[in-house]
Amino acid sequence: MVLESVGATASSAGAVEAQAAATAFKLRLSEYAAPGGGEDARLGLPAHRDTSFLAVVTQNGVDGVEVEFGRGDGGWARPTLSPSSFLVFSGDTLKALTNGQVYNPLHRVVVSGDEARYSAILFSLPVDGAAVRPLDETVDGDHPAMYRPFDYVFCYLPENMTPEVMKHAHKLEAFAAVRTTTTASAP
Ligand SMILES: O=C(O)CCC(=O)C(=O)O
Ligand SMILES: [Fe+2]
C-alpha cells in the first residue's frame, strides 16, 4: 500500500512483488525497568531512526515511546497507546526506496513511574544481499535519485552499529546520500 502510494503498482515491473520477496522479518521483545521510588523519568532507549522498512510496535499498558514533533523542531510527542494498539515507524530503508517521500521520524523511549514497560516490535528489513535503491517510479528528471544503491546488511552490520552510529540522526544520509558538488565559477 505504501509503495503503491508512491507510484509502484503490482503491474509495474514487479516492484511490489520483488520487494516482498526481498523482505525479511525480525521480532524484538524488550523490557524497560521502571525507575520506581519516585525517581524522575529516564531514557530507556536513545533517540534514533529505525533502519528497517517498517517497525510495528505494541506494548503492555505502559507508555514510553516518544516521537519527534515537527521534524525535530518541536519537542517530543508521547502517544497514549492501548495494549491493542500498534504504532508503525517507517525506517531508513523505506525512505530510500521511496526516494525520500516517506519520512522516518526520530523516536526514543522514556520510562517513568513504577511499572515496567514491555514492548514487542516486528521489523521488516531487506534480506541479505538485496540492494536498496529508490524505486524507478519515484525517480524522474524533477526528482533525481537521492540515494545510491546500498547493501542494507553491509551498511548496517551489527559491528558497524557502534553506539555513536546508532545514535547518528542521519545514518541513511551518511551511508547512501547522493552527493552533488558544485564548482564555483571563477569571478
Ligand atoms: O521498545 C519500543 O517501544 C521502541 C523500540 C525502538 O524504537 C527500536 O527498537 O527501534
Ligand atoms: Fe526504533
Side-chain angles (χ1 to χ4, degrees):
M1 195 173 78
V2 178
L3 298 186
E4 284 168 3
S5 75
V6 297
T9 65
S11 57
S12 65
V16 175
E17 296 83 346
Q19 282 308 321
T23 301
F25 296 91
K26 189 171 80 179
L27 179 68
R28 177 186 296 159
L29 306 175
S30 304
E31 177 183 11
Y32 300 89
E39 237 190 81
D40 286 345
R42 68 174 146 74
L43 202 56
L45 191 68
H48 63 283
R49 295 181 205 281
D50 289 346
T51 63
S52 46
F53 288 112
L54 291 175
V56 181
V57 183
T58 189
Q59 62 179 37
N60 62 342
V62 179
D63 290 327
V65 177
E66 297 189 347
V67 187
E68 63 171 335
F69 250 139
R71 302 209 170 180
D73 51 13
W76 297 94
R78 190 176 168 97
T80 301
L81 301 178
S82 75
S84 57
S85 305
F86 295 92
L87 193 60
V88 180
F89 285 113
S90 51
D92 286 356
T93 303
L94 189 56
K95 187 176 186 198
L97 204 70
T98 59
N99 204 24
Q101 291 185 54
V102 176
Y103 184 69
N104 53 346
L106 272 177
H107 54 282
R108 64 183 188 178
V109 176
V110 175
V111 282
S112 54
D114 294 318
E115 219 186 316
R117 175 169 184 275
Y118 296 92
S119 67
I121 312 174
L122 186 64
F123 293 98
S124 53
L125 59 162
V127 293
D128 207 348
V132 178
R133 61 181 185 84
L135 289 170
D136 291 344
E137 292 83 350
T138 64
V139 178
D140 60 29
D142 293 331
H143 307 93
M146 291 171 61
Y147 303 103
R148 60 181 174 74
F150 67 94
D151 180 334
Y152 174 90
V153 175
F154 177 75
C155 277
Y156 295 106
L157 269 177
E159 52 263 47
N160 290 343
M161 287 292 118
T162 61
E164 245 101 87
V165 173
M166 266 315 282
K167 279 192 274 177
H168 196 294
H170 298 284
K171 290 189 288 294
L172 174 65
E173 271 60 32
F175 284 142
V178 170
R179 301 192 194 288
T180 48
T181 46
T182 45
T183 314
S185 51

